[in-house]
Amino acid sequence: MSKVIFIDVDGTLLTYENILPPSATVAIRSARKNGHKVYICTGRSRAEVYDYIWEIGLDGMIGGNGSYVESGGKVIMHQVISLDDAKKIVDWLHGRKLEFYLESNAGLFASENFETRGESTIQEYSARKGKNMQTVRDAFPEMIFGEKNLYRADLNKVSFILESYQDFLDAQKEFPNLKVGTWGGAGETALFGDIGVANIDKAHAIDVLLKYLGADKKDTIAFGDAKIDIPMLEYCEIGVAVASGGDEVKAVADFVTDAVADDGIFNAFKKLNLI
């Protein structure tokens, strides 16, 4: 029976230095040859899915943590922040002197001082993951700097640097109609806040895609490493966490495979008889 497979990108398919283990490419290509469908399911916008990821061979993607669904080159769903809300977000962040970047399928657009202010935050985020990214450009190699017009009608979400946890709490109050979260740590250790479309997550996007494909949930497998992946691991028939992931996601997984750099995807595909 053919399966529909969903793989998170950062920390699951790729290491946090954006390294793709060759074994993962072998596993995905072999699984697709065997008749299975493989989608990435990521917080990244389409602009961050670089050629070397597409060249693995994929059936499509879910992006923006569930706001965007693409299959076979066709856009199935795309929910964006309204232009009015986008303007309010940018103005609010400017008013609080919080640096940010806009995430759209057309690219990542940095605020005026994000590159300099973001360097120390990226270093701390990298260190927490046991990695060694030193600059914003290490983390976001194709980020666009110097954009004059930051009012955009095509935003999947907006990420911003937290100067304090209160910034996140205040964002929740300021934008009750949007989905406000954090990343880079739990609770007051979070490094970033993000603001996106309400009532979306990876599980909802998978449901939309399965209906489009005429596929059954009992034939789904999901791979993830972080709290944001929990809805899709719980939704899919089989949920797999990588050993390099967090304890929360491991707790809901059906089993834990090896770390990304230790051929976790390949080994899990073998265990599940996908290859």
Side-chain angles (χ1 to χ4, degrees):
M1 181 69 67
S2 62
K3 303 296 182 183
V4 188
I5 304 159
F6 301 95
I7 309 175
D8 172 57
V9 173
D10 297 289
T12 304
L13 178 63
L14 308 181
T15 70
Y16 279 99
E17 289 105 350
N18 290 314
I19 295 170
L20 171 66
S23 64
T25 299
V26 171
I28 291 169
R29 289 176 179 171
S30 298
R32 293 184 74 228
K33 258 185 205 178
N34 289 340
H36 306 297
K37 291 186 179 294
V38 181
Y39 294 84
I40 52 172
C41 192
T42 176
R44 295 188 184 208
S45 295
R46 200 185 192 287
E48 297 173 87
V49 183
Y50 307 124
D51 288 345
Y52 75 95
I53 299 175
W54 285 115
E55 286 165 3
I56 297 168
L58 298 166
D59 290 282
M61 70 171 287
I62 290 169
N65 284 329
S67 67
Y68 177 77
V69 181
E70 175 184 322
S71 182
K74 180 180 178 181
V75 178
I76 310 305
M77 179 185 78
H78 192 192
Q79 300 183 60
V80 297
I81 298 170
S82 73
L83 180 58
D84 282 347
D85 280 334
K87 289 178 178 179
K88 289 175 187 174
I89 293 167
V90 169
D91 289 345
W92 186 79
L93 292 169
H94 276 146
R96 291 182 72 106
K97 301 191 183 321
L98 297 174
E99 297 303 324
F100 59 90
Y101 63 94
L102 310 176
E103 303 184 45
S104 82
N105 286 358
L108 302 185
F109 300 88
S111 63
E112 294 82 352
N113 301 305
F114 182 79
E115 183 170 16
T116 51
R117 170 61 189 86
E119 188 169 284
S120 60
T121 305
I122 288 299
Q123 288 170 1
E124 184 173 352
Y125 176 70
S126 176
R128 289 182 183 184
K129 296 290 183 181
K131 308 303 177 185
N132 187 34
M133 291 184 290
Q134 292 298 310
T135 69
V136 167
R137 290 176 193 258
D138 288 338
F140 306 108
E142 295 191 20
M143 181 170 275
I144 298 164
F145 300 94
E147 176 67 24
K148 299 301 182 188
N149 181 18
L150 294 173
Y151 294 153
R152 299 186 63 91
D154 62 348
L155 299 184
N156 299 319
K157 59 192 174 95
V158 179
S159 284
F160 60 98
I161 297 171
L162 295 173
E163 297 298 343
S164 73
Y165 193 65
Q166 190 63 43
D167 293 326
F168 159 66
L169 298 176
D170 290 347
Q172 282 188 310
K173 291 178 186 174
E174 188 71 21
F175 303 104
N177 60 317
L178 297 171
K179 184 176 183 177
V180 182
T182 64
W183 57 278
E188 295 190 20
T189 68
L191 296 172
F192 290 90
D194 60 19
I195 304 171
V197 180
N199 302 317
I200 59 103
D201 60 21
K202 292 184 177 185
H204 172 258
I206 290 171
D207 189 61
V208 168
L209 178 58
L210 292 179
K211 286 174 181 170
Y212 169 76
L213 295 173
D216 198 313
K217 187 166 80 166
K218 69 180 176 55
D219 296 319
T220 57
I221 303 169
F223 292 79
D225 77 308
K227 189 175 179 180
I228 195 75
D229 299 318
I230 289 175
M232 75 167 176
L233 266 65
E234 291 182 327
Y235 176 90
C236 290
E237 184 71 13
I238 299 173
V240 183
V242 294
S244 43
D247 290 338
E248 288 172 302
V249 74
K250 291 176 187 175
V252 304
D254 293 292
F255 72 90
V256 178
T257 188
D258 300 298
V260 185
D262 295 329
D263 303 321
I265 295 295
F266 182 90
N267 294 339
F269 273 40
K270 288 282 285 184
K271 179 173 181 175
L272 293 165
N273 296 315
L274 299 169
I275 56 177

